[in-house]
Amino acid sequence: MCEANAYVLHDGTEELLLESVDKVFPHETEIYLENIFGQRKILAARIKELRLVDHAIILERIGASL
């Protein structure tokens, strides 16, 4: 499996945002995520880190909290 779980940094900890993500589209100040089940999330964030061996996408929010 090549999917990854997406996490958002909050107070220095990683909070699970979406499991089994298979599509990531950065767009200006937003990140669009879609998983293998068709669930979608759009977040004002940037990619902080990709841990491919751990199947983890770490995001950092930009601007106001959502």
Side-chain angles (χ1 to χ4, degrees), residues 29-53:
T29 59
E30 295 179 331
I31 302 288
Y32 170 91
L33 305 166
E34 184 174 318
N35 70 9
I36 60 172
F37 308 110
Q39 295 174 306
R40 299 176 183 143
K41 299 274 183 173
I42 298 174
L43 189 71
R46 68 180 183 93
I47 296 173
K48 171 96 172 150
E49 182 179 355
L50 295 173
R51 293 198 308 255
L52 301 178
V53 172

Side-chain angles (χ1 to χ4, degrees), residues 5-66:
N5 292 335
Y7 300 88
V8 177
L9 284 177
H10 182 75
D11 292 333
T13 60
E14 298 171 1
E15 296 181 352
L16 181 62
L17 175 68
L18 189 64
E19 293 179 297
S20 302
V21 173
D22 70 335
K23 295 178 184 172
V24 177
F25 299 100
H27 181 69
E28 296 183 10
T29 59
E30 295 179 331
I31 302 288
Y32 170 91
L33 305 166
E34 184 174 318
N35 70 9
I36 60 172
F37 308 110
Q39 295 174 306
R40 299 176 183 143
K41 299 274 183 173
I42 298 174
L43 189 71
R46 68 180 183 93
I47 296 173
K48 171 96 172 150
E49 182 179 355
L50 295 173
R51 293 198 308 255
L52 301 178
V53 172
D54 296 331
H55 302 270
I57 301 164
I58 312 302
L59 303 173
E60 185 175 62
R61 289 186 189 270
I62 297 173
S65 298
L66 298 176

